[in-house]
Amino acid sequence: MKQGEEATEFVKEPHKEKQGYIFQKNTKTKIGFKVVLAFLILLIIGVAVSLYFFVTPA
């Protein structure tokens, strides 16, 4: 069985009527991206702070 080629794009522009995309340019996607990014930043800060406290001698 041979599968057809797909032209998947990363971001869907609002004016394009296409099905093969990963993200849309709308407010839900932008808010979701900001929430995930903030969570990752907090995790990185938490790991750095805990590393500092666990590694430094008392």
Side-chain angles (χ1 to χ4, degrees):
M1 237 161 79
K2 190 172 183 179
Q3 187 174 2
E5 292 185 29
E6 294 182 17
T8 303
E9 293 183 14
F10 194 66
V11 177
K12 179 186 179 211
E13 298 293 332
H15 61 277
K16 289 185 181 179
E17 295 296 326
K18 186 176 173 158
Q19 295 295 322
Y21 59 89
I22 298 173
F23 294 115
Q24 295 185 30
K25 277 194 174 178
N26 59 15
T27 55
K28 279 186 185 179
T29 305
K30 290 177 185 178
I31 291 172
F33 173 74
K34 289 177 185 177
V35 167
V36 169
L37 186 64
F39 182 71
L40 288 174
I41 289 172
L42 285 174
L43 278 175
I44 291 170
I45 291 171
V47 168
V49 169
S50 65
L51 182 68
Y52 173 75
F53 283 114
F54 285 123
V55 172
T56 55

